[in-house]
Amino acid sequence: MHDGKDGNGKASAPERLHRGRNFGAPVLWLLGLIPLLARMLHAKVNPARSFQCCYCAFIAVSLCWNHFEGHRSFYRWFSSSKIEPSQKRGLGHAGERIYGLLPAPWLSPLQHDAACAALCFSLLGSCFCWAPRLCLGVAFLAWFFYYSQIFCATKAGGHGSTLIPGTLLMMALSPAIEDTYTWKDSVEDWWALDFIKLQVAATYCGSGLCKIAGSLYFRQFWGNGTTLQAYTFDAMWSRPGGEFTWQLQAIAVQCPRALVLAATLSLLFEVCFPLALKSQELGAAFACAALAFHTGVYFLQGFDFLSQWCPVILLFALPGASWQMTWASLQEGAASLGLDLGLSLAFLYTACSMFVSLTMVDVWYGEMPRWWSMTGVPEQREAGFMDPLIYSPANAKHYLPEEDLPKFPYKILQFGYLSQVPKELQKFVRPECLQHEGPMLLFANFPVPKELKDALEKMVHLSLRSSPKDAWDSKKLREMVDLQRLCRLHFERAEHRLSKKTD
């Protein structure tokens, strides 16, 4: 860690390197989710309607927050930036077609604002008694118009918002969504909510099962702590947050035994999530565990699932849950194919979602590549910026040409050594980067000072000299954390004068 001494060896005031937010909006969302969970547990009205109102109101507020925090300004820059990723529109980090079939529309910044307004007002409108089904249908369509434009942005292109359209569709098809006060326990009135829970449970379980499959394939337990350690170390570069958050990450990286416990519990949580369908008590327990799980993910890795993903978890706390009810809903959906349009659509949508969830491939291949990224954005964890790790001149799938880097309004630096990437990951790296000769591969949109370049090269050499057993060596871990902080110090001191040619 920076020693806090000046050139004469005297103590100097510590320099504040990490100017981002320590807690950020996700913690506010957590404080909002807990009261909503408590309210639903004690609701005296139709639980389906209670969940729908809580969910839609929460998503609407979160949407407005993210839009005005950064997504609005991001799209204005992105749509006129002429960088390679801006030449398409779609979903996911790669800008794919909607459901793999429909091309996404191209919207102007003003039209994008209108899509946000339509989505927000339809979500809020569904909370009132007037035509909630129509409002939910409009919100379902508006979601695709809004998010397909900002697929490159944080809190937009990843998994955080993917549960929203399916949840809105199921609630729009629910027979009980217009009845506010009547409590109903029949399958005919509950099947839509059961289908939502099945999709969520399959997503978590699929994630856990692919980690187990990876453990068997590579003969290395995913929960041994080193994978989570590597994820956290990557986040120290690209999503450090504020000083307090960075300190938490540094402590976690140097405590691999604690990460073994955290990773193992996370794996059990994901694989066993279908048990949440068994009863209200188990559903409420898994809902609370999910909030704790995603809070930990935010602090250690900087990913926000609380503001858009977690509200659907509240559904598991509703009374009336049981294996029998869920199985009856599935049977009802299968029996109605071709007879009831709404139920048939919900059943097929749920079946496809479960299939996709259970065939996911986790991005982990035993050994992590030596590749890191830093940006000059203190609010990198917040809405409105591109993911600094995914889009890169070295990435074959999410290619960002080197000549596009100067088009960004802030500093970007990506570096590492990719000539020893595991063969399972080589398809994600451009061939010229795999064949690069030299001590380090470096991309930047500013003149890199010698002291920064020397520190980065030392970081690469240190990682190349390390062996798997060094992940448990406290001395070497401290050396890596200290060197990472030194690199960040030199990066912050570097002037942001865009260069015509990068290293």
Side-chain angles (χ1 to χ4, degrees):
M1 209 166 291
H2 182 49
D3 58 11
K5 296 182 179 180
D6 58 20
N8 297 321
K10 297 180 180 180
S12 61
E15 191 161 346
R16 187 184 179 203
L17 301 182
H18 306 99
R19 294 169 285 112
R21 298 172 183 169
N22 285 310
F23 300 100
V27 176
L28 296 179
W29 303 139
L30 178 64
L31 297 177
L33 285 167
I34 293 175
L36 286 181
L37 178 62
R39 181 191 182 280
M40 290 177 56
L41 289 174
H42 296 88
K44 301 297 183 182
V45 298
N46 176 9
R49 178 64 171 161
S50 175
F51 165 73
Q52 180 261 315
C53 290
C54 292
Y55 180 82
C56 290
F58 192 95
I59 292 296
V61 173
S62 176
L63 169 72
C64 288
W65 182 296
N66 288 334
H67 184 71
F68 289 104
E69 180 185 53
H71 284 164
R72 185 173 186 269
S73 59
F74 169 81
Y75 189 62
R76 274 158 172 71
W77 168 80
F78 180 72
S79 60
S80 61
S81 66
K82 297 183 180 180
I83 62 174
E84 181 73 19
S86 71
Q87 306 308 307
K88 63 172 71 174
R89 297 293 185 272
L91 300 176
H93 290 301
E96 302 289 350
R97 287 173 171 251
I98 298 173
Y99 293 122
L101 300 172
L102 304 174
W106 285 64
L107 303 183
S108 68
L110 187 60
Q111 290 171 331
H112 188 246
D113 288 340
C116 176
L119 178 54
C120 182
F121 284 118
S122 58
L123 286 169
L124 293 176
S126 70
C127 299
F128 299 95
C129 294
W130 181 82
R133 200 182 306 277
L134 174 62
C135 291
L136 289 167
V138 172
F140 172 76
L141 295 175
W143 184 91
F144 293 100
F145 279 83
Y146 180 78
Y147 281 95
S148 62
Q149 310 305 302
I150 53 175
F151 67 94
C152 283
T154 52
K155 302 190 183 183
H159 297 88
S161 63
T162 54
L163 289 178
I164 295 176
T167 302
L168 295 176
L169 177 62
M170 293 301 160
M171 290 191 296
L173 296 173
S174 172
I177 208 62
E178 294 176 333
D179 196 341
T180 304
Y181 299 105
T182 305
W183 182 286
K184 300 179 180 180
D185 287 325
S186 63
V187 173
E188 292 79 7
D189 296 303
W190 276 80
W191 54 258
L193 300 185
D194 285 329
F195 286 167
I196 296 174
K197 292 194 288 186
L198 280 169
Q199 293 175 34
V200 176
T203 300
Y204 279 110
C205 187
S207 177
L209 290 177
C210 74
K211 291 179 175 66
I212 293 177
S215 300
L216 295 174
Y217 181 81
F218 294 102
R219 299 180 182 179
Q220 181 180 350
F221 179 45
W222 185 92
N224 67 358
T226 58
T227 302
L228 188 55
Q229 184 185 53
Y231 288 169
T232 304
F233 188 65
D234 285 342
M236 290 175 66
W237 295 90
S238 57
R239 294 177 297 276
E243 188 66 29
F244 175 74
T245 307
W246 182 89
Q247 292 289 349
L248 287 180
Q249 293 175 315
I251 292 172
V253 167
Q254 298 176 79
C255 298
R257 289 172 178 79
L259 295 180
V260 171
L261 178 61
T264 303
L265 291 176
S266 299
L267 184 58
L268 289 173
F269 159 76
E270 291 182 332
V271 173
C272 298
F273 201 94
L275 292 176
L277 300 168
K278 186 175 182 180
S279 66
Q280 180 191 7
E281 292 75 19
L282 282 173
F286 272 91
C288 293
L291 296 181
F293 171 76
H294 290 297
T295 301
V297 168
Y298 173 75
F299 278 113
L300 291 185
Q301 299 178 34
F303 294 115
D304 172 23
F305 283 83
L306 291 168
S307 62
Q308 299 176 93
W309 175 284
C310 283
V312 77
I313 303 297
L314 304 181
L315 179 59
F316 288 87
L318 290 175
S322 66
W323 288 120
Q324 292 78 10
M325 181 68 76
T326 304
W327 179 246
S329 294
L330 278 173
Q331 289 179 313
E332 184 80 10
S336 71
L337 286 176
L339 301 176
D340 185 312
L341 179 60
L343 186 53
S344 299
L345 179 61
F347 177 79
L348 293 174
Y349 191 98
T350 300
C352 291
S353 298
M354 293 174 64
F355 174 77
V356 172
S357 298
L358 295 173
T359 55
M360 292 188 302
V361 177
D362 192 72
V363 185
W364 172 71
Y365 294 95
E367 183 181 358
M368 303 299 293
R370 297 171 175 87
W371 187 253
W372 299 285
S373 176
M374 289 187 288
T375 69
V377 180
E379 304 84 9
Q380 184 64 60
R381 290 183 169 211
E382 310 305 325
F385 306 99
M386 289 183 65
D387 191 299
L389 275 176
I390 293 179
Y391 302 98
S392 167
N395 196 316
K397 187 175 181 181
H398 306 295
Y399 179 54
L400 180 70
E402 187 176 356
E403 55 268 23
D404 282 351
L405 292 178
K407 299 176 183 178
F408 284 76
Y410 49 84
K411 289 188 296 185
I412 294 178
L413 188 150
Q414 299 176 338
F415 76 102
Y417 188 79
L418 296 174
S419 298
Q420 295 182 4
V421 173
K423 67 176 183 178
E424 293 87 357
L425 280 177
Q426 290 180 3
K427 61 183 178 181
F428 297 108
V429 182
R430 293 182 65 82
E432 60 269 24
C433 296
L434 289 172
Q435 300 164 6
H436 174 75
E437 295 182 1
M440 177 179 64
L441 186 63
L442 174 67
F443 300 103
N445 64 354
F446 64 97
V448 180
K450 183 180 184 303
E451 61 269 17
L452 173 57
K453 191 171 184 178
D454 290 345
L456 298 176
E457 288 184 353
K458 188 176 180 180
M459 182 77 246
V460 172
H461 292 158
L462 179 61
S463 68
L464 290 174
R465 294 198 310 268
S466 301
S467 62
K469 66 178 182 180
D470 292 333
W472 304 87
D473 188 322
S474 59
K475 184 178 179 180
K476 291 190 176 181
L477 291 174
R478 180 56 184 265
E479 183 180 2
M480 292 192 71
V481 168
D482 289 350
L483 184 54
Q484 190 275 337
R485 189 173 179 86
L486 179 63
C487 291
R488 185 77 199 188
L489 171 64
H490 291 313
F491 175 79
E492 290 293 334
R493 287 175 173 174
E495 295 184 16
H496 184 203
R497 290 183 290 107
L498 298 182
S499 61
K500 295 182 180 179
K501 184 178 180 181
T502 58
D503 289 287

